[in-house]
Amino acid sequence: MNNVRGMSRTNQDKLAEFEAKRDWDGMIAFAQQNLQADSSNPDWWMVLGYAYSQKAEYEKAADAFAQVVRYSPDQIEGYSLLAEAYRMMGQHERAIRTLDRSLLIDRESPVIYFLIAENFKALGRTERAVEYYEQSLRRDGRLVPAWYGLGVAYAQLGRTAEYEQVVRRLRELSPPDAERLAQFQPRAVGGRAR
């Protein structure tokens, strides 16, 4: 739980114990207890959402992360975690709308553009995904997951030259990811790869 800034050291240590034991129910109960004392504290809503997401209870996680956004609308992490919960529920359009709102806070976050790309890819809108992977990489040219996602998208679109450039770039940044990407073969477009 790295996202809880204003929490006492004692509470952070207690959360670390829950996390080490993977005691998500204990973490949920602890967060709920603290929320009874202060229901507008975004840190405790974040803890609650995190614990629910670890249990794959994404609807409850989304409800908690929505409270983070409500009580701390300038905290970009709340938006990205809320969008991730939506993505895990298969609500990709909703995730994209949430991430678009977060761009009003920080238009330079490479992670937000990457997450938008991942949701477009899940919707089968590969060309749109490419645009957002490229936006992400313009902001952080070392973001390995964005390079990998871009390479997969190029392979799906049959854009062989671009795909091969991405494989080469990944060999510099992360050889294991380059090898994983190299297993994809660009799809033939119109009867042949381009």
Side-chain angles (χ1 to χ4, degrees):
M1 285 295 328
N2 298 330
N3 295 339
V4 288
R5 299 176 252 229
M7 198 169 282
S8 74
R9 186 73 192 152
T10 303
N11 284 338
Q12 289 180 21
D13 290 344
K14 184 78 171 162
L15 291 173
E17 281 179 41
F18 287 126
E19 190 162 25
K21 294 177 185 174
R22 303 182 63 77
D23 180 3
W24 309 123
D25 290 326
M27 187 180 282
I28 289 167
F30 189 55
Q32 289 172 332
Q33 174 188 344
N34 281 281
L35 283 166
Q36 285 178 352
D38 183 4
S39 65
S40 63
N41 185 313
D43 287 340
W44 286 113
W45 285 110
M46 182 147 334
V47 169
L48 186 63
Y50 173 76
Y52 278 129
S53 67
Q54 294 303 305
K55 290 183 64 171
E57 294 183 24
Y58 298 113
E59 192 168 324
K60 290 179 180 179
D63 290 343
F65 292 137
Q67 295 303 315
V68 174
V69 169
R70 175 181 175 202
Y71 291 116
S72 188
D74 59 341
Q75 186 178 3
I76 199 163
E77 294 90 357
Y79 289 95
S80 61
L81 291 168
L82 177 58
E84 179 62 9
Y86 289 149
R87 186 183 75 80
M88 296 304 294
M89 290 188 293
Q91 297 179 11
H92 302 288
E93 294 282 352
R94 198 171 183 188
I96 291 167
R97 285 192 304 274
T98 300
L99 292 163
D100 278 342
R101 282 196 308 272
S102 75
L103 290 174
L104 297 173
I105 299 166
D106 183 358
R107 296 202 64 76
E108 296 306 312
S109 170
V111 172
I112 297 301
Y113 289 97
F114 166 73
L115 294 172
I116 293 171
E118 290 286 287
N119 280 284
F120 275 123
K121 184 171 72 174
L123 288 169
R125 296 173 60 190
T126 310
E127 289 285 354
R128 284 290 277 160
V130 164
E131 293 172 30
Y132 281 91
Y133 286 128
E134 290 172 346
Q135 287 281 341
S136 175
L137 291 167
R138 276 198 273 289
R139 286 157 176 80
D140 181 355
R142 299 190 59 80
L143 190 62
V144 170
W147 279 111
Y148 183 83
L150 181 61
V152 170
Y154 283 154
Q156 291 172 341
L157 294 169
R159 292 170 62 174
T160 305
E162 292 100 329
Y163 162 81
E164 290 170 356
Q165 288 176 336
V166 171
V167 171
R168 284 193 294 278
R169 180 67 173 131
L170 269 178
R171 283 195 180 115
E172 298 169 13
L173 295 172
S174 175
D177 288 302
E179 290 311 308
R180 207 165 44 109
L181 180 59
Q183 295 174 14
F184 282 88
Q185 292 300 311
R187 184 180 91 204
V189 177
R192 66 181 209 273
R194 58 180 180 126

